C-alpha cells in the first residue's frame, strides 16, 4: 500500500469497490477521510485499515449499523456484544452452506441415472423432506 494519501479512485481500485460504495459508507458515518484542496478526499493508511475492516465485516454478513456500532464503540463489552450476535448468525450461515456443499458433493459422487433415487443424495435431503408429526 502507498504511504502517501490516496484518492477515492485509488482506494476503490485497491479494494475492488465502486467509488460510490466508499461515498455511501462516508454518508452513513463509517468513514471520514481528510479533505484536500477542492474538497477531494484523501485516504490515509488508517482509513485503509478502516475500509479493510468494513470489507471483512461485510463479507462476514454484518449489516452497516452493526459495523458502525463496532467501529465507534468505546466500550469493549459493546463491541463484543456486536461480535457475539453476528458470530452466531455467521455460524448458522456456515452450517447451512456446509450442508449445501455436502449435497453438491453427494450429487457429484452419485452414479445413479436418476439422482432422485440415489440413497446417499436422498440422505442429505432427509431433514428437509421428513415431516414430523405435529399432533
Amino acid at each position: 500500500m502507498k504511504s502517501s494519501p490516496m484518492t477515492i479512485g485509488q482506494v476503490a481500485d485497491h479494494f475492488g469497490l465502486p467509488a460510490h460504495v466508499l461515498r455511501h459508507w462516508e454518508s452513513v458515518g463509517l468513514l471520514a477521510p481528510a479533505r484536500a484542496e477542492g474538497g477531494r478526499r484523501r485516504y490515509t493508511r488508517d482509513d485503509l485499515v478502516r475500509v479493510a475492516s468494513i470489507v471483512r465485516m461485510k463479507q462476514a454478513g454484518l449489516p452497516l449499523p452493526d459495523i458502525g456500532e463496532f467501529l465507534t464503540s468505546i466500550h469493549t463489552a459493546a463491541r463484543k456484544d456486536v461480535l457475539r450476535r453476528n458470530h452466531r448468525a455467521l455460524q448458522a450461515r456456515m452450517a447451512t452452506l456446509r450442508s449445501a456443499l455436502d449435497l453438491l458433493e453427494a450429487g457429484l459422487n452419485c452414479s445413479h441415472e436418476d439422482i432422485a433415487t440415489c440413497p446417499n443424495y436422498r440422505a442429505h435431503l432427509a431433514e428437509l423432506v421428513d415431516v414430523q408429526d405435529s399432533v
Side-chain angles (χ1 to χ4, degrees):
M1 265 182 251
K2 294 182 175 184
S3 59
S4 60
M6 296 171 69
T7 67
I8 192 170
Q10 291 169 322
V11 174
D13 287 346
H14 179 79
F15 287 99
L17 298 168
H20 73 85
V21 169
L22 296 171
R23 287 187 202 97
H24 175 66
W25 290 350
E26 185 178 350
S27 75
V28 297
L30 295 178
L31 295 174
R35 300 287 180 144
E37 65 283 340
R40 295 182 184 272
R41 294 166 180 85
R42 293 293 181 247
Y43 292 81
T44 64
R45 183 164 180 81
D46 286 344
D47 293 318
L48 298 181
V49 168
R50 195 165 179 99
V51 171
S53 295
I54 297 166
V55 167
R56 281 287 188 248
M57 289 180 187
K58 288 296 295 169
Q59 290 170 342
L62 276 74
L64 292 181
D66 281 3
I67 294 171
E69 184 179 345
F70 173 80
L71 292 174
T72 60
S73 178
I74 59 170
H75 302 290
T76 303
R79 284 193 308 271
K80 288 188 178 187
D81 285 344
V82 170
L83 295 179
R84 276 189 203 93
R85 184 173 59 243
N86 285 281
H87 184 264
R88 286 189 297 271
L90 182 56
Q91 283 181 315
R93 282 199 338 270
M94 288 174 64
T96 299
L97 289 172
R98 180 75 233 167
S99 179
L101 184 59
D102 289 347
L103 177 69
L104 295 180
E105 289 171 353
L108 287 170
N109 294 323
C110 176
S111 60
H112 285 76
E113 286 290 321
D114 180 1
I115 191 75
T117 64
C118 174
N120 189 31
Y121 183 82
R122 291 173 72 101
H124 286 284
L125 297 172
E127 73 180 48
L128 294 174
V129 174
D130 291 342
V131 177
Q132 301 297 323
D133 291 330
S134 59
V135 185

